Structure formats: C-alpha cells, structure tokens
C-alpha cells in the first residue's frame, strides 16, 4: 500500500480491463474503416480561447469544468481539452484541409478532461470515441455519421438504446426561440432552482434539460423549439429522419433536446442507455456549420459529428452481459524450469520460440516447479514446456498440452514446427 492514490475522478486500467478496452477500440476502428473515417490525433491541450469561442462562454463546460493553466505569467492561457470537436476543427483549418478534398471524414479515440463532480459514469479524465465529418452536413451526411455510431453499438450487441433527435433550426431560429424562452420563464424566476435561474439570462435553452421536479413542470408548458424552426429547416430534418428510417435506425423525436454545447445548429441527437443510471447519455452530437467561421474561417463550413463516452460504453456492454467470452489470451508456451540453474537455457528457448512468432513466458523469480505450474495455468498458457538437466543434455523437452493434459517429448525443431502451425 502507498499513501499515494489516483486523483479523484481518474482511474487506472489494469491488464484484465485493457483487454476489454482493446476489444471496444477494435470495433470502433473496424467500423470506421467500413465507412471511410480516418483517425486524427490532436494535442491534449489547446489555447483556452479556442474552447471559449467554440463550446460557448455561457456553457457549463467553459463556465466551470475546464482545467485551465498558464505555463508562465506572460504566456497565453492553456486548457486541457474538454472535448474533441474544437481541436479537430482547429487542426482542420490550420492545415487548410478543405483545399485537398471537399469532404473529410475523421474519427478519434481520445482522452478528455472536465472538472465535474465525480460519480458513476462521470469522471474528470475520460475517453470518447467520435467522428467529425467536415465539408458536408446534408441529410445523407448526417445519416452517415449517425449510422456509423449506431453500427458500432449494433456490432457490440447493445440492445434497448434510445436515439433522441431534434432540430435546433439555424442561428436566427435559435435566437428567436431563446428570447421566447426568456419571456416564458421570467415570471417563474422565483420557482426555478439556482442553476436554472443562472441559465435564464445566459442560456435559457439549457433550462429545458433540467432534472429538477418543479422546473420540469414549468418546462412542460414552455414554447417548443419546433414552433420557431422555419419550414425549410424542418423539411431538411424530415429528410434526415427518412434516411434513418431507410436504414432501420429507430429514433424518438424529442423537441426538448438541446445539448450542452453552443456550436450546434439544425439536427442534434443523443443516445440514452437505461443501464447507465443517472448519467444515462451514452453519446451525442449534431451539425455545427457555424463553428469554422467562429474560429476565423471566411465562410461557414458544413460539418456534423458525434462523440460517445468510452467508460459509459464499457459499462453498458458489461451490464448487458456482452463480454463473457472475452479473456486475456495467455501465452502459447510457459517454460517450466526444474531448477534455477537452467535459467539461461530457458531464456534461450523463449528467445527461439518468440523469434518463430510463438508467444512464450517463463518464471523470472526463481520459484518452485509447483509454483511455476500454478502460474502457467493462471496465465492461461496453452502448453507447458519442461526443462530439466536431462532434457537440456538430450535436447528433447516435455511439451504438455494444458487443456488435454497429453504430453510428448520433442526436440526444439519439432516443437517449433508443431506450435508454429497452430
Ligand atoms: P458531449 O455530449 O459533451 O459531446 O459528450 C459526449 C459523451 O461523452 C457523453 O454522452 C458521455 O458519454 C461522455 N462524457 C461527457 N462527459 C463525461 C464525463 N465527465 N465522464 C465520462 N463520460 C463523459 C461532445 O463532447 C461533443 N464534442 C460531441 C460532438 C462531436 N458533437 C459534434 N461532434
């Protein structure tokens, strides 16, 4: 034991769990390649104003959840990335990627940092997989992005997920709606909870997300965003829904869905999973055509994307019992020494096996044969290879199949031939 502990809201991932992570990441990557999404990796920190500008100064993320620091008194403020979209767009614009092709399809599996109160499903360092399609946000582009996300869930075997979807209209629609909400909620000011009161001036749309019982009652009578979305935007949204229908992706239209980041316009969506408890949002995303201009581009750049929390994804697959067949792959061969003096010979054997592409392990702690056999079984090794002084002299070793318990005496060449074919 040590008195040092992992920082609250962070966690270690030990080898047994890494197997699960690698499996999830493998599915994410494989499905990405089916759809033609290519991986992008951006720095873990960016200048703070990038996030203020893109996520929005009045959002919870920028207002209270960012890890921000100044490397020295004269340098620009820096923030650990709380999400990926801003950094990906920054990288896209910086490299001038638009000039190389009209549409780019990017995906990522990346660690992020938010100073939220840690609880189940909510950490201060967490991981997301996500995708950003930049250069198009037409209904087929939106459907493509949602299909990629849902395909990953389907391949993992997840059931009972709820895709909620809404249209936020364009910036002007949202502006009119925001004013209408302010006018509606203002007479209720004293009945609102503290966070909602704060949002009333700065970001009244977020009141719609409130889980507070009285606020929910008030929200029930609020004007709906749909009434403020113009017919052209509505028609485009209907086309998105049509594509989802064609691909047999179930969804629920939810006029109260807003999302906690400011860059969205038109289609926004979220996926909910009942097994996750209070933090039931598995992922979310939407269109963000105005973000490029916010970051200095001369024109709007159509774009759409999503992100899914990997820890929550892991929790969901675990709770739905979809991981039972996943176990760490033990070595093909565990070399068992009769006595510690043979360690050099055994190391040589391991080297020959590994050079031939056969996974091999041996005891490095000088333990008894019995302890070595226990270890061989524990690691899930498929064979034990016995090395005693007689074996070394003759160059013939006992190779035991640990599942059938059958044993043969073979020289190294025969062992390499037999296990190499495996
Ligand atoms: P977001 O809704 O803020 O969207 O995050 C997406 C997902 O990340 C959430 O649904 C959740 O699963 C996971 N997540 C968020 N915060 C935490 C946390 N503190 N602990 C564990 N998991 C968490 C975005 O980040 C947007 N960038 C998505 C996007 C991409 N929109 C367009 N492109």
């Amino acid at each position: 034991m040590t008195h040092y502990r992992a920082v609250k809201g962070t966690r270690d991932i030990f080898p047994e769990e890494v197997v699960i992570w690698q499996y999830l990441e493998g599915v994410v990557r494989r499905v990405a390649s089916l759809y033609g999404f290519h991986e992008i990796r951006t720095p873990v920190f960016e200048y703070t104003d990038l996030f203020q500008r893109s996520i929005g100064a009045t959002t919870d993320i920028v207002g209270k959840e960012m890890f921000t620091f100044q490397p020295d008194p004269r340098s620009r403020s820096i923030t650990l990335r709380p999400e990926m979209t801003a950094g990906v767009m920054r990288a896209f614009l910086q490299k001038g990627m638009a000039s190389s092709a009209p549409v780019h399809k990017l995906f990522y599996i990346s660690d992020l940092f938010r100073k939220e109160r840690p609880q189940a499903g909510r950490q201060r360092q967490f991981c997301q997989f996500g995708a950003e399609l930049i250069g198009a946000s037409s209904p087929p582009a939106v459907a493509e992005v949602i299909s990629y996300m849902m395909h990953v869930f389907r391949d993992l075997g997840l059931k009972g997920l709820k895709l909620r979807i809404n249209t936020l209209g364009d910036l002007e629609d949202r502006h009119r709606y925001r004013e209408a909400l302010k006018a509606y909620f203002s007479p209720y000011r004293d009945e609102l909870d503290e966070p909602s009161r704060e949002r009333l001036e700065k970001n009244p749309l977020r009141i719609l997300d409130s889980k507070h019982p009285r606020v929910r009652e008030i929200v029930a009578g609020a004007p709906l965003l749909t009434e403020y979305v113009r017919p052209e935007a509505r028609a485009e949204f209907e086309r998105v829904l049509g594509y989802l229908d064609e691909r047999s992706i179930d969804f629920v239209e939810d006029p109260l869905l807003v999302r906690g980041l400011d860059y969205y316009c038109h289609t926004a969506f979220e996926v909910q999973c009942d097994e996750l408890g209070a933090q039931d949002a598995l992922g979310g995303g939407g269109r963000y055509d105005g973000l490029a201009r916010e970051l200095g581009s001369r024109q709007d750049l159509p774009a759409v994307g999503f992100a899914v929390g990997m820890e929550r994804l892991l929790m969901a697959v675990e709770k739905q019992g979809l991981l039972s067949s996943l176990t760490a792959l033990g070595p093909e061969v565990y070399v068992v020494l009769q006595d510690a003096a043979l360690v050099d010979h055994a190391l040589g054997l391991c080297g020959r096996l590994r050079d031939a592409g056969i996974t091999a392990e041996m005891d490095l702690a000088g333990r008894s044969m019995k302890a070595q056999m226990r270890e061989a079984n524990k690691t899930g090794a498929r064979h034990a290879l016995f090395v005693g002084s007689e074996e070394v002299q003759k160059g013939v070793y006992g190779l035991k199949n640990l599942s059938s318990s059958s044993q043969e005496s073979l020289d190294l060449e025969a062992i390499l031939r037999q296990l190499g074919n495996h």
Side-chain angles (χ1 to χ4, degrees):
M1 268 295 274
T2 155
H3 60 275
Y4 291 106
R5 312 205 44 97
V7 175
K8 224 172 148 205
T10 68
R11 58 187 267 207
D12 304 303
I13 303 174
F14 293 101
E16 318 80 81
E17 228 187 348
V18 167
V19 180
I20 303 172
W21 278 81
Q22 287 172 340
Y23 163 67
L24 297 179
E25 290 162 4
V27 173
V28 166
R29 288 177 199 286
R30 185 176 49 71
V31 181
S33 73
L34 291 178
Y35 285 76
F37 283 90
H38 300 286
E39 185 171 354
I40 184 164
R41 300 182 188 193
T42 63
V44 166
F45 45 75
E46 301 270 356
Y47 290 119
T48 305
D49 47 354
L50 172 75
F51 300 119
Q52 290 167 333
R53 187 91 211 164
S54 44
I55 302 170
T58 63
T59 58
D60 285 352
I61 297 180
V62 170
K64 46 190 180 204
E65 295 172 3
M66 299 205 303
F67 286 102
T68 294
F69 58 99
Q70 218 167 350
D72 66 70
R74 274 176 312 170
S75 50
R76 254 167 97 182
S77 170
I78 278 173
T79 292
L80 297 184
R81 58 186 182 196
E83 59 105 50
M84 285 297 287
T85 313
V88 168
M89 184 56 96
R90 195 265 314 134
F92 183 94
L93 295 172
Q94 184 177 337
K95 185 146 190 258
M97 284 174 81
S99 62
S100 66
V103 175
H104 290 263
K105 293 160 84 177
L106 305 166
F107 85 96
Y108 47 82
I109 303 176
S110 305
D111 280 332
L112 304 163
F113 307 87
R114 293 186 194 175
K115 210 189 296 169
E116 297 187 84
R117 196 170 54 79
Q119 54 177 274
R122 192 196 267 167
Q123 292 172 228
R124 292 190 155 183
Q125 179 180 342
F126 61 99
C127 181
Q128 283 181 346
F129 93 86
E132 312 293 351
L133 191 156
I134 304 179
S137 64
S138 57
V142 175
E144 177 98 334
V145 158
I146 295 179
S147 301
Y148 166 39
M149 177 179 75
M150 298 307 284
H151 198 133
V152 169
F153 297 148
R154 198 184 68 203
D155 278 9
L156 290 170
L158 281 168
K159 297 258 156 40
L161 301 181
K162 187 158 139 197
L163 173 66
R164 288 156 62 228
I165 190 163
N166 190 19
T167 176
L168 308 174
D170 59 23
L171 267 183
E172 214 176 294
D173 297 339
R174 272 239 297 294
H175 183 73
R176 287 186 302 131
Y177 183 53
R178 188 183 302 236
E179 293 310 309
L181 281 183
K182 267 193 204 169
Y184 171 78
F185 284 119
S186 291
Y188 295 105
R189 169 181 281 278
D190 294 341
E191 294 174 62
L192 297 177
D193 62 339
E194 183 61 36
S196 300
R197 250 197 314 269
E198 263 173 41
R199 287 168 177 163
L200 185 55
E201 284 313 314
K202 297 198 232 144
N203 200 349
L205 264 75
R206 291 301 312 281
I207 301 179
L208 302 177
D209 275 347
S210 173
K211 298 208 162 112
H212 187 275
R214 176 62 191 137
V215 177
R216 293 203 66 82
E217 280 171 23
I218 300 171
V219 164
L224 289 180
L225 180 51
T226 22
E227 297 156 18
Y228 291 78
V229 171
R230 277 172 288 196
E232 310 85 72
R234 180 71 213 175
E236 207 170 297
F237 183 55
E238 294 290 345
R239 285 186 60 210
V240 172
L241 303 185
Y243 281 114
L244 297 182
D245 272 334
E246 265 168 41
R247 295 178 193 199
S248 306
I249 296 175
D250 290 337
F251 59 85
V252 184
E253 256 190 86
D254 181 353
L256 291 183
L257 177 82
V258 283
R259 305 274 300 133
L261 303 94
D262 275 358
Y263 47 60
Y264 294 113
C265 60
H266 297 282
T267 306
F269 52 89
E270 225 162 74
V271 177
Q272 235 170 291
C273 174
D274 285 344
E275 279 92 354
L276 293 179
Q279 304 303 318
D280 63 355
L282 187 56
R287 269 175 71 175
Y288 52 95
D289 300 355
L291 178 59
R293 198 197 279 273
E294 283 295 328
L295 301 184
S297 159
R298 271 196 295 275
Q299 64 231 16
D300 282 356
L301 190 58
V304 52
F306 73 86
V308 169
M310 290 290 280
E311 288 81 4
R312 294 188 194 178
L313 185 64
L314 191 150
M315 218 193 292
V317 288
E318 225 160 38
K319 291 221 165 136
Q320 294 197 5
L322 303 169
L323 296 171
S324 49
S325 59
L326 269 189
T327 42
L329 226 52
E332 190 63 42
V333 177
Y334 195 100
V335 177
V336 177
L337 309 187
Q338 201 176 42
D339 92 65
L342 299 167
V343 68
D344 289 353
H345 188 86
L347 277 170
L349 283 176
C350 277
R352 291 287 306 274
L353 288 162
R354 290 165 180 162
D355 285 346
I358 298 162
T359 49
E361 274 282 11
M362 60 178 275
D363 175 50
L364 297 172
R367 284 176 291 182
S368 70
M369 267 186 91
K370 209 166 140 199
Q372 292 178 60
M373 271 314 286
R374 251 202 320 271
E375 187 65 18
N377 284 312
K378 204 167 121 199
T379 59
R382 286 176 292 293
H383 298 88
L385 183 70
F386 296 106
V387 178
S389 36
E390 201 179 317
E391 280 87 349
V392 171
Q393 238 169 28
K394 290 195 188 143
V396 172
Y397 309 90
L399 181 71
K400 181 172 180 181
N401 181 321
L402 291 177
S403 46
S404 66
S405 290
S406 62
Q407 186 164 332
E408 319 173 64
S409 295
L410 299 168
D411 65 12
L412 184 59
E413 292 309 318
I415 293 170
L416 293 177
R417 260 198 314 279
Q418 181 164 326
L419 299 183
N421 289 338
H422 230 59

